[in-house]
Amino acid sequence: MAERAGRAAPEDGVLTRIGQVVMLHHGGDREEARRRLLDLWTELGEDGDPLHRCTLAHYLADTQDDPFDELAWDLRALTAAEEHEGSPEVRALYPSLHLNLAADYVRLGRSEAARTHIRRARGAAGALGDDSYGDGVRAAISRMELRLGEGER
């Protein structure tokens, strides 16, 4: 995820393993991806590196079938990010984390909570790189703002 945020991360075996499972998920095997990500979550434990837990929870949310479960994993990702807040890698994740939470709250019919998180996503967007990842997240934030009536006034 740190690499997706436009930052070159040092070689990291856990992030590499997460990336491999994400490719499996994007290839269409949601159940197997969820199983493998949960195995990694258990392996990391509560005391695991916050960046790893944030990244893992962020992707685990995407594998959930129930919107409440997805929200729970996205909230875990945000909590882990807050434990590792000072790093540039985490600052670049906040826009995506808040965007995902806004989308979760939209699905759950909680528009005020969604608006809160889309505002936080926009506020954090300055940490995004000037690259395709940053452009994509900024565009997704803009689309969600329009959906929520939060676009420029």
Side-chain angles (χ1 to χ4, degrees):
M1 191 184 252
E3 291 172 283
R4 282 185 56 209
R7 311 284 192 282
E11 184 55 39
D12 186 322
V14 174
L15 292 178
T16 298
R17 291 169 63 199
I18 293 168
Q20 291 168 340
V21 178
V22 169
M23 287 190 291
L24 179 70
H25 178 228
H26 289 168
D29 198 343
R30 184 181 183 122
E31 291 294 323
E32 181 64 15
R34 179 174 35 226
R35 186 190 66 73
R36 290 186 189 187
L37 289 171
L38 284 169
D39 288 347
L40 275 169
W41 182 262
T42 301
E43 184 181 318
L44 282 178
E46 290 183 29
D47 296 326
D49 180 274
L51 179 61
H52 293 160
R53 287 187 297 115
C54 174
T55 304
L56 204 56
H58 191 54
Y59 285 119
L60 260 162
D62 293 341
T63 67
Q64 302 305 305
D65 298 322
D66 182 287
F68 289 101
D69 292 338
E70 186 171 359
L71 172 62
W73 282 108
D74 279 330
L75 288 169
R76 283 182 188 105
L78 182 61
T79 298
E82 290 168 346
E83 294 172 17
H84 198 63
E85 195 167 355
S87 78
E89 295 89 3
V90 170
R91 279 195 306 273
L93 296 177
Y94 275 108
S96 179
L97 294 171
H98 285 293
L99 173 63
N100 283 5
L101 283 162
D104 294 342
Y105 285 121
V106 164
R107 278 190 289 283
L108 294 170
R110 296 180 56 192
S111 58
E112 281 309 309
R115 285 185 184 92
T116 296
H117 282 283
I118 204 60
R119 288 179 199 131
R120 290 178 183 165
R122 177 57 70 194
L128 292 167
D130 195 18
D131 54 21
S132 61
Y133 173 77
D135 292 345
V137 173
R138 281 187 290 272
I141 291 169
S142 294
R143 288 189 302 272
M144 183 62 74
E145 286 171 332
L146 289 172
R147 183 174 182 183
L148 293 168
E150 290 287 312
E152 290 186 33
R153 294 185 170 114

